[in-house]
Amino acid sequence: MSRILAIETSCDETAAAVVEDGRRVLSNAVASQIEIHARYGGVFPEVASRQHILAMLPVAEQALQEARLSPAEVDAIAVTRGPGLPGSLAVGINFAKGLALATGKPLLGINHLEGHIYAAWLHEADQPAPASPEFPLMALLVSGGHTELIFMEDHLRYQRLGSTRDDAAGEAFDKVARMLGLGYPGGPAIQKAAADGDPAVFAFTRPWLKETWDFSFSGLKTAVLRAVREIEAAGRPLPVAHLAASFQVTVVDVLVGKTIKAAEAFEAKSIVVAGGVSANQLLRERITAEAPMPVHIPPLRYCTDNAAMIAAAAHHRLNAGETTPLNFDLKPRWEVS
Ligand code: KG4
Ligand code: ZN
């Protein structure tokens, strides 16, 4: 049995969690900075770093307390090494290094994107373990900074098939939300506004990029902007709900269509959808309904940034005999491999 304490501070959530055997969540503490950054309309790096410093110790203490463990009782300490904001990553990494040094426990520096994928294995401590995603699997990773199709033949084996050529899916949600005056973070705001809208009102072109597994969302963002300007120039009120619904369905069509096509082409036995945008209700419903193979999407609290997913990934690395030397450096840019 392994119990891993993980720390995650790559962006604007200070998080700590304890996970048993890479699946069973004993605790999952998250201090969100969303309200603070909402004032700036996005993440303000210096403010994020300062907030991490303030929240790190209480959040880690909370995670250990809820798991009823002392630092000496965990088997290893894991921390997000990248990708992310350097000033944010540094806070979690220094904390984890200090803890590893003080306790003598093995330390693992984990890739944040790998963590998002491993969120698909997590379950609550008081509930039975659901079926694990079956390999080979196709993972769609959609977050604020990434949109990628990753083929996994087995644990820890990644083949990156394609990624976004410009804006990430979550970034597109955030930017379009700003255009529509919906605030930050944009994903949940667009989803909410779209609930009262008709997705067929604006027929935005689907950016298929058919010959590749890549994505592109900046043209769609510009198309929404053009529609907004035309309506404003005509002096008409902005149909925010219709615009939000039409934008959302366009992104979801492309994400669902390409992921299923890739899963079929690579004969995947299952699909995993991960990252903050996998919290999107329409995406969850559509891909689950349309894919011919089982689809695994983490519960909402494990879709957005958290530390339980980092512990889940670390479990497999520890099992494979890996640890990271105490003097490791952060990696602001780091693809899964
Ligand atoms: O994975 P995450 O929490 O942080 C990064 O690693 O980037 O993803 C954050 C992104 C944001 O762009 C946010 O707008 C988006 O996930 N997001 C959503 C939803 N909830 C969060 N996008 C669409 N629909 C949602 N319900
Ligand atoms: Zn993330």
Side-chain angles (χ1 to χ4, degrees):
M1 189 178 69
S2 89
R3 281 174 179 155
I4 297 181
L5 168 67
I7 306 291
E8 148 70 42
T9 64
S10 67
C11 189
D12 61 344
E13 326 273 3
T14 316
V18 182
V19 176
E20 196 174 272
D21 295 331
R23 298 204 70 188
R24 193 166 169 250
V25 181
L26 302 184
S27 65
N28 182 47
V30 182
S32 173
Q33 305 176 5
I34 280 181
E35 279 174 32
I36 297 163
H37 297 291
R39 279 184 252 153
Y40 306 99
V43 178
F44 200 114
E46 286 80 1
V47 174
S49 173
R50 232 195 112 62
Q51 286 301 317
H52 285 311
I53 292 170
L54 295 174
M56 189 68 266
L57 183 61
V59 166
E61 279 175 338
Q62 187 191 337
L64 284 165
Q65 239 163 41
E66 281 173 13
R68 298 170 194 278
L69 293 171
S70 71
E73 288 170 310
V74 301
D75 297 294
I77 292 157
V79 62
T80 305
R81 184 178 183 181
L85 300 168
S88 289
L89 288 166
V91 177
I93 289 173
N94 288 332
F95 182 82
K97 283 181 179 178
L99 209 54
L101 200 60
T103 57
K105 301 290 174 185
L107 180 64
L108 294 110
I110 299 296
N111 183 301
H112 180 82
L113 308 178
E114 177 173 58
H116 271 304
I117 294 173
Y118 273 96
W121 275 262
L122 294 171
H123 71 90
E124 305 305 335
D126 60 0
Q127 282 166 25
S132 293
E134 209 183 329
F135 292 108
L137 66 80
M138 189 60 64
L140 170 69
L141 180 65
V142 270
S143 71
H146 294 264
T147 305
E148 324 211 327
L149 271 172
I150 297 166
F151 180 61
M152 286 180 75
E153 265 179 70
D154 204 344
H155 282 298
L156 309 180
R157 289 178 58 195
Y158 307 97
Q159 187 186 342
R160 202 159 148 262
L161 303 179
S163 62
T164 182
R165 295 186 177 176
D166 37 64
D167 293 352
E171 192 181 353
F173 269 94
D174 293 335
K175 287 178 177 169
V176 168
R178 210 172 305 162
M179 283 176 210
L180 301 180
L182 291 171
Y184 173 87
I190 296 249
Q191 174 173 316
K192 192 155 169 262
D196 303 318
D198 177 354
V201 170
F202 295 88
F204 296 121
T205 306
R206 272 66 175 153
W208 286 114
L209 274 66
K210 276 215 164 91
E211 306 309 315
T212 76
W213 299 117
D214 282 349
F215 298 91
S216 165
F217 293 109
S218 101
L220 171 61
K221 177 189 68 188
T222 311
V224 177
L225 183 62
R226 212 176 301 128
V228 168
R229 291 215 172 119
E230 275 171 24
I231 295 161
E232 282 176 347
R236 286 184 282 135
L238 211 55
V240 171
H242 295 328
L243 282 163
S246 304
F247 163 78
Q248 177 176 255
V249 79
T250 307
V251 175
V252 168
D253 274 352
V254 173
L255 293 176
V256 170
K258 291 197 85 143
T259 304
I260 293 176
K261 202 170 160 212
E264 285 174 331
F266 284 77
E267 295 176 3
K269 293 208 172 101
S270 67
I271 288 176
V272 165
V273 187
V277 181
S278 66
N280 186 270
Q281 200 54 40
L282 184 66
L283 173 61
R284 298 170 82 92
E285 286 167 11
R286 286 271 312 274
I287 197 158
T288 306
E290 292 171 25
M293 61 284 287
V295 177
H296 300 261
I297 315 177
L300 288 186
R301 64 189 157 288
Y302 304 130
C303 288
T304 46
D305 288 349
N306 65 87
M309 67 186 199
I310 302 301
H315 166 79
H316 292 278
R317 297 228 166 250
L318 191 65
N319 264 4
E322 271 183 53
T323 58
T324 318
L326 259 175
N327 62 353
F328 77 79
D329 210 352
L330 54 88
K331 292 189 174 189
R333 291 169 191 282
W334 186 15
E335 302 303 342
V336 279
S337 59

